[in-house]
Amino acid sequence: MQKPPPQSVDFALKQTSPNIGAGAVTGDKLSCTYDLVEQMQYLYVRVVKAKDLPGKDVTGSCDPYVEVKLGNYKGVTKHFEKKSNPEWNQVFGFSKERIQASILEVFVKDKDVVVDDLIGRVVFDVNEIPKRIPPDSPLAPQWYRLEDRKGNKAKGELMLAVWMGTQADEAFPDAWHSDAASVGPDGVTNIRSKVYLSPKLWYVRVNVIEAQDLVPSDKGRFPEVFVKAVLGNQALRTRISPSKTINPMWNEDLMFVVAEPFEEPLFLSVEDRVGSNKDETLGKCVIPLQVVQRRLDHKPVNSRWHNLEKHVIVDGEKKEMKFASRIHLRICLEGGYHVLDESTHCSSDLRPTAKQLWRPNIGILELGILSAHGLMPMKTKDGRGTTDAYCVAKYGQKWIRTRTIVDNFMPRWNEQYTWEVFDPCTVITIGVFDNGHIHGGAGGAKDARIGKVRIRLSTLEADRVYTHSYPLLVLHSSGVKKTGEVQLAVRFTCSTLINMLHMYSHPLLPKMHYIHPLSVIQLDSLRHQAMQIVSVRLSRAEPPLRKEVVEYMLDVDSHMWSMRRSKANFFRIMGVLSGLIAVGKWFDQICNWRNPITTILIHILFIILVLYPELILPTVFLYLFLIGIWNYRWRPLHPPHMDTRLSHADAAHPDELDEEFDTFPTSRPSDIVRMRYDRLRSIGGRVQTVIGDLATQGERLQSLLSWRDPRATTLFVTFCLIAAIVLYVTPFQVVALLIGLYALRHPRFRHKLPSVPLNFFRRLPARSDSML
């Protein structure tokens, strides 16, 4: 197969050798528990509480707060109004790389209008601070007597714990960090690392069977009745019932997506189409999802009759009328399906909704997010470019978000995360973003995308640590741009090889997708709804995983039309077919005796296979085995990454990119839209011609026996009779030998005109001449 030319070195994957614990033999416990990242030393100060603080102002009360100072770095707790025994329980983390002072000072101060008064302080020698290595228990805080600036005892005590640790410390995620000292107290929550879980999603199947005893307002006409169902922001309706009576029937399924906990009920209304744009409500019912039956397999659930209620206006007041109209429904929560909330080609989870149907895990995925370098400025602050970068990784239902490194083009996160793996044919997605909400970003501020990396687990060797620097590529309307590189360490550990290999024999999706398959249109609509539900739920967390981040990670816009993607997919198909084309060219060279020795060897092989047909299949499989063994030498040694050549991103026309980034519906001027529409028409015309040619060839095959051309069918039927008699009396091996030798005949016995069978086939009639 012809390989595409290699992409630019700037966009290529680079192998790295970070100083991580994996594979190293050290006496440090950290090297085996947190071994995919580089160790980063931190000085931690946990400020717990204070007692017996003296009053400093005129009223005799104090408004205490604590200031932790190490050299030029200073962290401050919140202050309490008029409290002499305050509790803070706040942790401060100072990066050891940036420690320049030898003394750690912890001040307790009284907040005042003009100048804050010093209540007392505690001083530590940095060189004497103890070191803690997880999984040791946390260091117990102790009471320290406060001193004044001269070292004399002051009134009051402060409970503290001070220790040297690493990013593996459980205090790390919630700590105030010295490298984010410029972030105000309101923005601190937006920069912390967090783990999120996607909501548990269910498909809701509403089978609308029939209704009885409807009461339309106009008794003199046949009612045109349909059912409208609303769940949250999803609204679906059945077709108009073919039985236009007061007892209509539908037997139609409506599918919705819903997330636990179920917050909104299902609203159903039976409506009558009384005019072109006018519907009359004949009755309504509300069904809470908490009482809906859950099913795990294809067995039908029990159906139920539900009473319909109707509101009427009496003397200007809205009154509820209960009457005998009712609707027959079969509603269930589908636990046997996997609710798709991401693109199928890069799914990270394929398990069914119901936990009872989950298989045991087959391994563990560990990801070390080390660092990034060469990041581009994503926004402007104080007249200069800046980037506040953080990473998000998504696999299965678990999302992780690293802490934000403030104002740094070469951030070092060194955070490690773990996921259970249930299927090796899944993909982990890692995105890098710029935090736009650190300094109290305006309501319209968004977290800008810096780039994304996808790693398919099935391409990784088990128990091997992959350390690479991945290019971060973002497609803009002006073209593809490299915004930096992110350094990752990945390890897929397989618990049992037999179970993992057995997974390759299982269907990719749960069995309900094959027993009761959903249509492509249904799946697309349901996937879109699932993505919206997930993005809304995660944006309500604290700190929020914002909508634009979730949508970028889930590839929300992957289904939109793109000329660039269409070209890329066309060349992918050509790349797949290039192997067949190469075999065809090789066979043509054999037939034309370009290399006589090879052609003679093929003749000999062909004669052997004809005489001993039982060797054909063993020969084919042995040949495939040898090709596989031969290709092992050139196997990929690195995981795949974003390929600009394959995506046709490096050679896309600016207008095509502008069209790809256009809104839906379009927001471009009419002349540009007209030009693009004409371009689409010309492409559609070519596709239409190709489809027409395929239909013509198929219709010619059909016309062989259809007597549409009586002379052609007579010839073909006569040929079939003669062929049947000849093949009956002639051994098959002789026939196969004669056909093969004829196909491999020397060019001296060939002529350039098409063969007789081809001429006959091309003369057969098709139905193209009957089309308008």
Side-chain angles (χ1 to χ4, degrees):
M1 191 178 87
Q2 185 180 359
K3 293 185 179 179
Q7 57 180 350
S8 162
V9 175
D10 199 34
F11 295 154
L13 187 74
K14 297 166 189 168
Q15 190 158 7
T16 58
S17 302
N19 182 25
I20 62 176
V25 180
T26 66
D28 195 342
K29 292 180 185 177
L30 190 67
S31 65
C32 59
T33 57
Y34 214 68
D35 60 345
L36 292 185
V37 291
E38 297 175 342
Q39 288 190 31
M40 296 176 72
Q41 299 289 332
Y42 285 89
L43 191 161
Y44 290 105
V45 181
R46 182 184 292 279
V47 180
V48 184
K49 56 186 175 180
K51 67 178 181 181
D52 303 332
L53 298 181
K56 286 287 183 179
D57 54 16
V58 181
T59 60
S61 61
C62 72
D63 307 326
Y65 69 92
V66 174
E67 179 183 292
V68 182
K69 188 178 180 186
L70 184 63
N72 294 327
Y73 294 104
K74 184 168 64 175
V76 180
T77 67
K78 59 181 180 291
H79 81 279
F80 289 99
E81 298 281 344
K82 297 181 173 58
K83 200 166 186 180
S84 58
N85 298 307
E87 287 192 24
W88 292 282
N89 202 23
Q90 197 167 337
V91 182
F92 298 85
F94 297 87
S95 174
K96 191 177 180 182
E97 290 178 349
R98 303 189 181 187
I99 294 178
Q100 294 176 340
S102 58
I103 290 176
L104 168 71
E105 297 176 286
V106 182
F107 299 98
V108 182
K109 294 187 176 182
D110 177 28
K111 194 162 187 68
D112 212 337
V113 179
V114 184
V115 178
D116 296 345
D117 298 319
L118 176 68
I119 296 174
R121 67 171 187 167
V122 180
V123 180
F124 296 89
D125 185 341
V126 171
N127 296 319
E128 298 296 323
I129 292 174
K131 185 177 181 182
R132 178 195 169 226
I133 301 173
D136 291 352
S137 299
L139 202 67
Q142 298 179 36
W143 285 106
Y144 292 88
R145 194 67 184 259
L146 297 179
E147 301 175 348
D148 60 18
R149 289 195 184 275
K150 296 178 182 177
N152 300 321
K153 286 186 179 180
K155 191 177 180 186
E157 291 182 76
L158 182 63
M159 181 180 273
L160 294 172
V162 182
W163 72 96
M164 296 295 298
T166 66
Q167 74 270 36
D169 205 295
E170 64 269 8
F172 178 78
D174 296 322
W176 171 95
H177 289 280
S178 58
D179 52 7
S182 62
V183 180
D186 296 334
V188 168
T189 56
N190 287 320
I191 65 171
R192 287 179 176 156
S193 56
K194 275 288 183 241
V195 175
Y196 305 82
L197 288 176
S198 290
K200 188 176 184 181
L201 299 174
W202 293 80
Y203 283 146
V204 182
R205 187 187 295 272
V206 182
N207 179 222
V208 183
I209 303 169
E210 59 181 327
Q212 279 186 357
D213 305 326
L214 299 179
V215 185
S217 57
D218 185 359
K219 305 282 196 305
R221 56 179 283 278
F222 294 109
E224 298 181 11
V225 185
F226 63 91
V227 176
K228 183 179 177 183
V230 178
L231 183 58
N233 62 350
Q234 306 167 70
L236 296 174
R237 45 164 289 181
T238 65
R239 67 188 188 285
I240 291 174
S241 173
S243 54
K244 297 184 177 179
T245 66
I246 60 169
N247 299 314
M249 296 189 69
W250 294 276
N251 199 23
E252 192 172 334
D253 278 354
L254 304 176
M255 296 288 290
F256 297 91
V257 181
V258 69
E260 287 188 358
F262 305 133
E263 295 175 344
E264 300 194 23
L266 173 68
F267 292 94
L268 286 167
S269 60
V270 181
E271 304 193 8
D272 182 13
R273 176 64 51 85
V274 295
S276 58
N277 288 313
K278 189 179 178 186
D279 300 325
E280 178 195 356
T281 301
L282 303 181
K284 295 181 177 180
C285 70
V286 179
I287 301 165
L289 294 180
Q290 287 83 350
V291 300
V292 171
Q293 188 175 343
R294 305 180 181 199
R295 75 167 182 176
L296 308 181
D297 51 25
H298 60 283
K299 295 175 184 173
V301 298
N302 297 326
S303 60
R304 282 185 58 193
W305 287 95
H306 297 264
N307 290 330
L308 293 171
E309 298 172 357
K310 189 175 182 181
H311 298 285
V312 295
I313 307 290
V314 180
D315 299 331
E317 290 186 9
K318 196 175 185 182
K319 291 194 176 180
E320 189 177 287
M321 299 286 291
K322 291 192 177 181
F323 57 101
S325 292
R326 53 187 194 155
I327 187 169
H328 194 193
L329 302 170
R330 182 180 282 111
I331 306 177
C332 65
L333 289 160
E334 297 279 13
Y337 289 89
H338 169 68
V339 180
L340 293 161
D341 62 344
E342 51 197 337
S343 299
T344 45
H345 63 271
C346 54
S347 286
S348 63
D349 188 15
L350 301 167
R351 291 171 294 168
T353 299
K355 204 168 184 177
Q356 303 95 302
L357 302 177
W358 290 3
R359 294 190 180 95
N361 71 51
I362 58 160
I364 296 293
L365 172 67
E366 295 165 280
L367 172 70
I369 303 174
L370 284 83
S371 61
H373 58 272
L375 297 185
M376 303 287 286
M378 301 303 292
K379 57 179 177 280
T380 305
K381 182 189 172 191
D382 301 331
R384 63 182 182 85
T386 179
T387 297
D388 307 316
Y390 68 92
C391 287
V392 174
K394 194 251 185 219
Y395 184 77
Q397 294 181 333
K398 179 178 170 182
W399 300 65
I400 65 94
R401 168 183 174 150
T402 67
R403 72 192 189 285
T404 300
I405 306 295
V406 179
D407 192 13
N408 197 328
F409 298 129
M410 300 181 68
R412 295 178 65 223
W413 293 286
N414 284 304
E415 297 183 27
Q416 184 170 332
Y417 298 93
T418 305
W419 287 266
E420 283 186 303
V421 177
F422 293 87
D423 193 315
C425 303
T426 45
V427 176
I428 181 171
T429 305
I430 303 104
V432 185
F433 300 88
D434 173 60
N435 197 328
H437 298 81
I438 289 182
H439 306 288
K446 290 190 174 183
D447 288 1
R449 54 183 72 167
I450 298 177
K452 183 164 59 179
V453 174
R454 290 197 199 101
I455 302 171
R456 183 170 289 276
L457 269 61
S458 58
T459 63
L460 304 177
E461 295 177 19
D463 302 315
R464 175 182 164 188
V465 177
Y466 290 84
T467 53
H468 291 89
S469 185
Y470 294 80
L472 295 170
L473 307 174
V474 175
L475 194 64
H476 296 282
S477 54
S478 56
V480 67
K481 288 183 180 174
K482 181 178 175 181
T483 51
E485 294 184 12
V486 63
Q487 190 176 355
L488 304 174
V490 184
R491 177 171 57 207
F492 171 44
T493 307
C494 172
S495 52
T496 55
L497 183 62
I498 299 297
N499 283 353
M500 186 172 73
L501 295 178
H502 185 52
M503 283 299 298
Y504 282 85
S505 66
H506 288 205
L508 199 62
L509 292 166
K511 64 179 182 180
M512 281 294 287
H513 286 267
Y514 307 98
I515 296 171
H516 282 307
L518 302 171
S519 69
V520 174
I521 296 173
Q522 267 185 320
L523 281 173
D524 278 344
S525 172
L526 292 170
R527 182 187 294 114
H528 178 72
Q529 292 297 338
M531 287 175 173
Q532 296 302 318
I533 289 171
V534 170
S535 65
V536 168
R537 284 288 178 93
L538 293 178
S539 66
R540 284 160 47 185
E542 188 59 44
L545 202 57
R546 302 194 181 273
K547 190 171 187 282
E548 63 271 16
V549 173
V550 176
E551 289 183 347
Y552 180 56
M553 295 289 287
L554 294 179
D555 266 349
V556 164
D557 56 354
S558 62
H559 66 286
M560 299 296 287
W561 160 256
S562 162
M563 179 71 78
R564 173 190 61 82
R565 277 201 203 105
S566 301
K567 283 182 182 176
N569 287 335
F570 172 76
F571 282 104
R572 284 172 64 199
I573 291 172
M574 294 307 295
V576 170
L577 296 177
S578 63
L580 294 174
I581 295 168
V583 169
K585 288 180 179 176
W586 171 79
F587 185 70
D588 185 63
Q589 291 176 355
I590 297 295
C591 292
N592 287 294
W593 292 67
R594 296 280 172 83
N595 188 334
I597 296 173
T598 307
T599 305
I600 290 168
L601 288 173
I602 292 296
H603 273 79
I604 295 168
L605 177 64
F606 173 71
I607 292 167
I608 292 170
L609 291 177
V610 168
L611 295 176
Y612 302 98
E614 64 274 11
L615 295 178
I616 293 174
L617 285 177
T619 303
V620 169
F621 285 111
L622 181 63
Y623 180 65
L624 293 175
F625 168 77
L626 292 173
I627 290 175
I629 295 299
W630 180 260
N631 287 342
Y632 181 77
R633 295 193 303 172
W634 294 285
R635 69 191 185 282
L637 297 176
H638 311 305
H641 64 290
M642 299 296 183
D643 193 326
T644 53
R645 282 284 160 83
L646 181 70
S647 310
H648 275 250
D650 53 351
H653 192 275
D655 181 68
E656 293 173 2
L657 291 173
D658 183 65
E659 180 184 25
E660 186 171 337
F661 284 92
D662 191 7
T663 55
F664 190 87
T666 182
S667 57
R668 298 297 185 262
S670 57
D671 54 335
I672 293 178
V673 174
R674 188 180 296 113
M675 181 270 290
R676 289 174 181 169
Y677 173 62
D678 290 339
R679 182 171 65 195
L680 265 180
R681 286 174 68 192
S682 66
I683 294 168
R686 289 179 219 161
V687 173
Q688 173 183 292
T689 303
V690 171
I691 293 172
D693 288 344
L694 290 172
T696 297
Q697 308 309 323
E699 288 168 354
R700 283 175 176 164
L701 275 173
Q702 290 177 334
S703 66
L704 282 170
L705 295 170
S706 68
W707 296 92
R708 186 176 175 83
D709 181 340
R711 284 166 293 279
T713 304
T714 302
L715 284 170
F716 182 69
V717 168
T718 306
F719 168 76
C720 288
L721 178 63
I722 295 169
I725 294 168
V726 170
L727 290 172
Y728 183 74
V729 299
T730 311
F732 178 75
Q733 288 170 311
V734 174
V735 175
L737 194 64
L738 291 173
I739 292 172
L741 292 174
Y742 177 77
L744 294 169
R745 69 192 183 280
H746 196 274
R748 187 176 299 173
F749 305 108
R750 295 175 183 273
H751 47 84
K752 293 186 178 179
L753 294 176
S755 64
V756 173
L758 194 58
N759 290 334
F760 177 77
F761 182 76
R762 285 176 177 169
R763 287 176 175 275
L764 291 170
R767 303 183 68 184
S768 53
D769 49 351
S770 301
M771 287 186 64
L772 289 172

